[in-house]
Amino acid sequence: MNKVTMLLSALLLTGSMASAKTLVTVNGQAITQADVNTELMSATQGRVNQIPPARLAMFKKQVLQQLIGKEIIFDDAKKSGILNSPEYKNEYNKLLNRMKKELAIQVWQKKLLGSIKISNKELKDYYNKNKDEFNEKESVHARHILVKTKAQAEKIISELKGLSGQKLKEKFIELAKKDSTGPSGPKGGDLGYFAQGQMVPAFNSRVFSMKKGTITLTPVKTEFGYHVIYLEDKKPAMTKTFNEVKTFIEQRLKMEKFKKVFKQKMDELQKSAVIK
């Protein structure tokens, strides 16, 4: 991601994530969700969505504590008269000038991006020429119960064998929460949707041969232990429709065109600029 693209991504994402929700007040000063989101965007260079959920939750707490610390220090600085000192005023004016420049650049880039239009013909041409990009493999939605021994897995299967439909699913979820040693256990063994080849071979070959709403009648052994699998849903291989990917294509083409327009504009401005 180049510097221009990163700047635009940060600007747009910050706008979409902003929230006025007050998380805490420090000496009467509110710290909002928007404040935390802005700090996260800055710290991750716009890559907040790439942080794993568990780590992101911890990161948010750290950012909030940092913002609380800043408010405490700022409050004390005001009380001690720092805001009226010549040193502060000098640095403040320097910072204000830098911020004015950065803000003007961001608005200039956003305006340039907004002026770029992608026709419906361009969108359809891209879709028709790149359909392979929108192919989705066959996928399944499965649950599993992972245990250490074959005997444990067989006992679980025996408890499930006579059930079907909603009763089978409910019982499976109950046993997964109680007996599964895998990380998905608390979620009823839910693995969500996954495509061909995403699981280890033994698990993959078995689950994709199953019928919807059934369980494995024999344990599936992998390097992790013994699995009992429940197949919740199955989706055939397919190609996403034009309408499903239209917005994605538009964003991609817009950014590609923006890079070209930006370079052309910069070349023109540089030629007319007085650089000594």
Side-chain angles (χ1 to χ4, degrees):
M1 186 183 287
N2 63 34
K3 192 172 182 180
V4 172
T5 306
M6 186 179 74
L7 184 60
L8 281 164
S9 297
L11 182 66
L12 296 173
L13 278 170
T14 301
S16 66
M17 292 173 66
S19 167
K21 180 183 176 184
T22 298
L23 301 177
V24 66
T25 59
V26 182
N27 295 327
Q29 179 63 44
I31 296 177
T32 68
Q33 186 64 57
D35 296 326
V36 172
N37 290 340
T38 300
E39 288 293 318
L40 283 170
M41 290 296 297
S42 176
T44 61
Q45 296 184 313
R47 297 185 177 93
V48 174
N49 294 333
Q50 296 177 22
I51 301 174
R55 188 179 168 199
L56 181 58
M58 182 178 69
F59 199 7
K60 284 180 179 179
K61 288 180 181 178
Q62 291 174 345
V63 168
L64 181 58
Q65 287 301 316
Q66 289 170 1
L67 290 174
I68 290 171
K70 286 180 179 180
E71 284 299 333
I72 292 170
I73 294 171
F74 181 60
D75 188 63
D76 189 63
K78 286 190 292 183
K79 290 175 180 175
S80 61
I82 284 177
L83 272 62
N84 295 318
S85 68
E87 182 184 1
Y88 172 82
K89 289 179 179 178
N90 183 48
E91 293 300 322
Y92 175 81
N93 289 329
K94 287 180 184 178
L95 179 61
L96 187 60
N97 286 332
R98 286 200 301 271
M99 288 177 66
K100 283 180 181 178
K101 188 179 293 185
E102 288 300 321
L103 181 58
I105 290 169
Q106 287 182 17
V107 174
W108 182 89
Q109 290 176 336
K110 193 175 180 181
K111 187 177 179 181
L112 184 62
L113 180 67
S115 70
I116 295 169
K117 306 299 177 186
I118 308 295
S119 69
N120 208 50
K121 183 180 182 304
E122 288 177 285
L123 296 174
K124 285 184 176 178
D125 284 347
Y126 183 92
Y127 176 77
N128 291 328
K129 290 175 184 176
N130 299 277
K131 275 191 177 178
D132 287 350
E133 187 178 333
F134 308 110
N135 288 341
E136 287 194 343
K137 295 179 180 179
E138 180 185 13
S139 63
V140 293
H141 180 188
R143 296 176 182 270
H144 80 138
I145 300 172
L146 177 64
V147 290
K148 290 182 179 180
T149 69
K150 185 178 181 181
Q152 287 174 299
E154 288 174 339
K155 182 177 181 297
I156 289 168
I157 291 170
S158 70
E159 291 186 61
L160 296 167
K161 241 179 192 178
L163 303 175
S164 61
Q166 189 63 24
K167 286 185 178 180
L168 173 60
K169 180 179 175 180
E170 288 173 359
K171 186 64 176 178
F172 191 96
I173 291 172
E174 178 191 322
L175 293 177
K177 289 179 177 179
K178 182 169 70 77
D179 298 327
S180 184
T181 61
S184 65
K187 298 185 295 180
D190 195 359
L191 296 171
Y193 281 95
F194 53 90
Q196 276 275 19
Q198 285 188 279
M199 296 295 179
V200 291
F203 192 103
N204 185 84
S205 61
R206 183 68 70 87
V207 75
F208 278 93
S209 67
M210 294 172 66
K211 289 182 180 179
K212 181 180 172 181
T214 65
I215 63 166
T216 47
L217 296 177
T218 56
V220 179
K221 185 182 179 182
T222 70
E223 60 194 274
F224 304 106
Y226 290 85
H227 307 257
V228 181
I229 307 170
Y230 171 76
L231 184 63
E232 191 157 321
D233 192 23
K234 183 178 280 189
K235 289 182 180 179
M238 60 170 286
T239 300
K240 286 188 175 181
T241 65
F242 171 70
N243 285 333
E244 286 177 312
V245 298
K246 182 179 178 180
T247 301
F248 168 79
I249 296 172
E250 184 175 22
Q251 290 172 345
R252 171 174 284 187
L253 294 183
K254 202 167 187 178
M255 285 309 302
E256 287 178 359
K257 192 175 282 191
F258 171 81
K259 291 174 188 177
K260 293 177 183 178
V261 172
F262 178 81
K263 185 179 183 306
Q264 183 181 354
K265 186 72 175 176
M266 288 301 295
D267 288 343
E268 291 172 3
L269 291 172
Q270 193 152 350
K271 284 178 184 177
S272 61
V274 179
I275 303 173
K276 295 182 181 180

